[in-house]
Amino acid sequence: MKTSIKAFIFDVYGTLFDVHSLKKVCNDLYPEKGDEISQSWRAKQIEYFFLRQLMGNYEPFLKITHDALKYAIKEHHEQLDEQNEKQLLEAYLQLSPYPEVQSVLKQLGHKQLVVFSNGSHDMLDPLIQNSGLSNFFDYTISIDEVKQYKPTLTSYRHALDTLGVKREEVLFMSSNGWDISGAKNFGFQTAWINRNNLPTEELNLVPDSIYSDLTGILEWK
Amino acid sequence: MKTSIKAFIFDVYGTLFDVHSLKKVCNDLYPEKGDEISQSWRAKQIEYFFLRQLMGNYEPFLKITHDALKYAIKEHHEQLDEQNEKQLLEAYLQLSPYPEVQSVLKQLGHKQLVVFSNGSHDMLDPLIQNSGLSNFFDYTISIDEVKQYKPTLTSYRHALDTLGVKREEVLFMSSNGWDISGAKNFGFQTAWINRNNLPTEELNLVPDSIYSDLTGILEWK
């Protein structure tokens, strides 16, 4: 089974890149509250993906990320002036990749390597460019092309249609439990990168593999 | 505007009833971790409404509540034996109404009063019966009748269709920001019962009124 994988699809935020590398900027601007603001920002961003999808009110990643930031700042009784706002949103284009990413991508080099994200191209493309990883990837696919957030079936189908392989020939990687559940629900093989040592989601959708970082996926190459 | 309301629709969990009245049972069974388990249980339950709806994998309230409980217990490195499980799920049928509920319902008595919830009838009906409030309500409506969780448009439309009033003649009440956003998105008048003093959601859907408890809605009668 494991040797039949033709395409490795990577989620971006939290999987290739550490969203909480934003903590530093948050802490610079809001001393002592930075960690909490960063956590709250990310949680609200994900909630807003879900809610806008459920309500049929699509807005792209940047708008949702901006709105989630405004909420997180208000929740922590702070002010968001124009300069802080600019600095925080721009930090999204400069996230740090996790330390093992480059080495893993190098070792998978002869396979189809793909980025697939709830992010839109205005955010994804500069991030991957800035990270120096862009040469590794054959495709950068955004749900913005179909305006259906993960974990809808349509979103994963869009990624599959772009690649021209069979769904069981895909290994999908995410650190987000909800994203792995969605990918498994669609029929991808899945490797959950369980960076935070969390329990498996109770959604009757068990990941095919669970690793603490991306190094583990090398057994699928 | 406020005097034209014909139907008052109440969300249940968190709005009429205090979900964290489960904390006591959680603390009895898991000393010192009860508050956290209760919080985590509720958050996961809501996430699973959203995820199952997005993935097209509907399961009713009891199954989701049970699954969310299993997750919350694992997250806190505890065991869920059969007896604890039974006790915790049964506690869902004995939640405490908030202190002002009965008095407010009494003062609204000549209007159409309605319960509308993500809960299914096997959970909702005994809860309302046990609380002694059932005589106040003209309808108990569950999304289980259409198998579409709030905040989808279909779920709110189902409530409206059941009542036979115009959507702008409805005042919808919820303590949940996502539920108020969904109801406003559908076109109900909304009163957000902001029991936890949270910021307004950043979803471009502003509630018509915001109150700290249900007493405030009396100005709509």
Side-chain angles (χ1 to χ4, degrees):
Chain A
M1 184 74 94
K2 294 195 177 181
T3 56
S4 68
I5 298 302
K6 291 188 178 162
F8 288 75
I9 304 186
F10 295 86
D11 170 56
V12 173
Y13 302 103
T15 304
L16 293 173
F17 293 89
D18 187 356
V19 181
H20 296 294
S21 49
L22 296 163
K23 270 185 196 163
K24 197 191 161 306
V25 190
C26 288
N27 274 313
D28 288 350
L29 298 176
Y30 303 102
E32 291 177 27
K33 292 186 180 176
D35 286 21
E36 279 182 25
I37 287 172
S38 173
Q39 293 285 355
S40 176
W41 184 10
R42 172 65 174 162
K44 211 67 190 174
Q45 180 198 47
I46 294 170
E47 188 187 349
Y48 286 176
F49 295 151
F50 298 167
L51 290 177
R52 285 195 169 276
Q53 189 64 47
L54 289 165
M55 295 193 298
N57 272 350
Y58 181 84
E59 290 285 353
F61 190 88
L62 178 57
K63 162 80 171 148
I64 282 184
T65 303
H66 187 183
D67 288 346
L69 174 61
K70 286 192 277 186
Y71 185 97
I73 296 293
K74 283 196 298 181
E75 192 184 7
H76 291 89
H77 309 288
E78 290 288 344
Q79 298 297 318
L80 186 64
D81 65 26
E82 215 170 299
Q83 198 181 337
N84 286 7
E85 188 172 281
K86 192 162 176 286
Q87 198 174 335
L88 285 159
L89 290 172
E90 283 181 358
Y92 244 90
L93 309 179
Q94 305 284 350
L95 300 174
S96 313
Y98 285 100
E100 81 281 11
V101 169
Q102 180 152 8
S103 155
V104 169
L105 293 175
K106 203 173 274 176
Q107 292 175 71
L108 290 171
H110 59 296
K111 299 277 187 170
Q112 202 171 43
L113 303 184
V114 180
V115 154
F116 173 48
S117 172
N118 273 348
S120 42
H121 285 285
D122 56 338
M123 304 286 280
L124 278 181
D125 297 348
L127 171 65
I128 294 168
Q129 197 64 46
N130 293 337
S131 71
L133 299 172
S134 52
N135 285 342
F136 288 108
F137 296 111
D138 300 291
Y139 294 92
T140 299
I141 305 173
S142 167
I143 63 85
D144 189 56
E145 295 151 14
V146 288
K147 306 204 183 319
Q148 286 264 337
Y149 279 104
K150 297 190 273 182
T152 62
L153 288 167
T154 303
S155 67
Y156 300 101
R157 185 171 299 118
H158 171 62
L160 186 67
D161 289 349
T162 307
L163 300 180
V165 296
K166 295 182 194 153
R167 71 179 81 185
E168 61 273 17
E169 293 170 339
V170 166
L171 183 68
F172 180 87
M173 278 129 307
S174 180
S175 66
N176 300 296
W178 53 269
D179 194 9
I180 281 294
S181 303
K184 186 74 199 162
N185 182 52
F186 175 67
F188 285 152
Q189 309 261 8
T190 52
W192 181 29
I193 312 307
N194 186 9
R195 296 190 183 277
N196 300 312
N197 199 24
L198 292 172
T200 307
E201 297 294 344
E202 292 287 341
L203 290 163
N204 301 100
L205 293 161
V206 179
D208 296 286
S209 294
I210 304 178
Y211 307 114
S212 59
D213 67 35
L214 281 166
T215 313
I217 67 165
L218 290 171
E219 65 175 341
W220 288 80
K221 80 171 180 174
Chain B
M1 183 74 95
K2 294 194 177 183
T3 56
S4 67
I5 297 301
K6 291 189 179 164
F8 287 75
I9 304 186
F10 295 86
D11 171 56
V12 173
Y13 301 103
T15 305
L16 293 173
F17 293 90
D18 186 355
V19 181
H20 295 294
S21 50
L22 296 164
K23 270 186 198 163
K24 198 191 160 307
V25 189
C26 288
N27 274 314
D28 287 350
L29 299 176
Y30 303 102
E32 291 177 28
K33 292 187 179 175
D35 286 19
E36 279 182 25
I37 287 174
S38 172
Q39 293 284 354
S40 177
W41 184 9
R42 172 65 174 162
K44 212 67 191 175
Q45 180 198 47
I46 294 170
E47 188 187 349
Y48 286 176
F49 295 151
F50 297 166
L51 290 177
R52 284 194 169 276
Q53 188 66 45
L54 289 165
M55 296 193 296
N57 271 350
Y58 181 84
E59 289 285 353
F61 189 88
L62 178 57
K63 162 80 171 147
I64 282 184
T65 302
H66 187 183
D67 289 344
L69 174 61
K70 286 193 277 187
Y71 185 97
I73 296 292
K74 283 195 298 180
E75 192 183 7
H76 292 88
H77 310 288
E78 290 288 345
Q79 298 298 317
L80 186 65
D81 65 26
E82 216 171 298
Q83 198 180 337
N84 286 7
E85 187 173 281
K86 192 163 177 285
Q87 199 174 335
L88 285 159
L89 289 173
E90 282 182 358
Y92 244 91
L93 309 180
Q94 306 284 350
L95 300 174
S96 314
Y98 285 99
E100 80 280 12
V101 169
Q102 180 152 7
S103 153
V104 169
L105 292 175
K106 201 172 274 176
Q107 292 175 72
L108 291 171
H110 59 296
K111 299 278 187 169
Q112 202 171 42
L113 303 185
V114 180
V115 155
F116 173 48
S117 173
N118 273 348
S120 42
H121 285 285
D122 57 337
M123 305 285 282
L124 277 181
D125 297 348
L127 171 65
I128 294 167
Q129 197 63 46
N130 293 337
S131 72
L133 299 173
S134 53
N135 285 342
F136 287 107
F137 296 110
D138 299 290
Y139 293 91
T140 299
I141 305 173
S142 167
I143 64 83
D144 189 56
E145 296 151 14
V146 288
K147 306 206 182 318
Q148 286 264 337
Y149 279 104
K150 297 190 273 183
T152 62
L153 288 167
T154 303
S155 67
Y156 300 102
R157 185 171 300 116
H158 171 62
L160 186 67
D161 290 348
T162 306
L163 300 179
V165 296
K166 294 183 193 151
R167 69 179 81 187
E168 62 273 18
E169 293 170 338
V170 166
L171 182 68
F172 181 87
M173 278 129 307
S174 180
S175 66
N176 300 295
W178 54 269
D179 194 9
I180 281 295
S181 302
K184 186 74 199 164
N185 182 51
F186 176 66
F188 285 151
Q189 308 261 7
T190 53
W192 181 29
I193 312 307
N194 186 9
R195 297 191 183 276
N196 299 312
N197 199 23
L198 292 172
T200 307
E201 297 293 346
E202 291 287 340
L203 290 163
N204 300 100
L205 294 161
V206 179
D208 297 286
S209 293
I210 304 178
Y211 306 113
S212 59
D213 68 34
L214 282 165
T215 313
I217 67 165
L218 290 171
E219 65 175 338
W220 289 78
K221 80 170 182 175

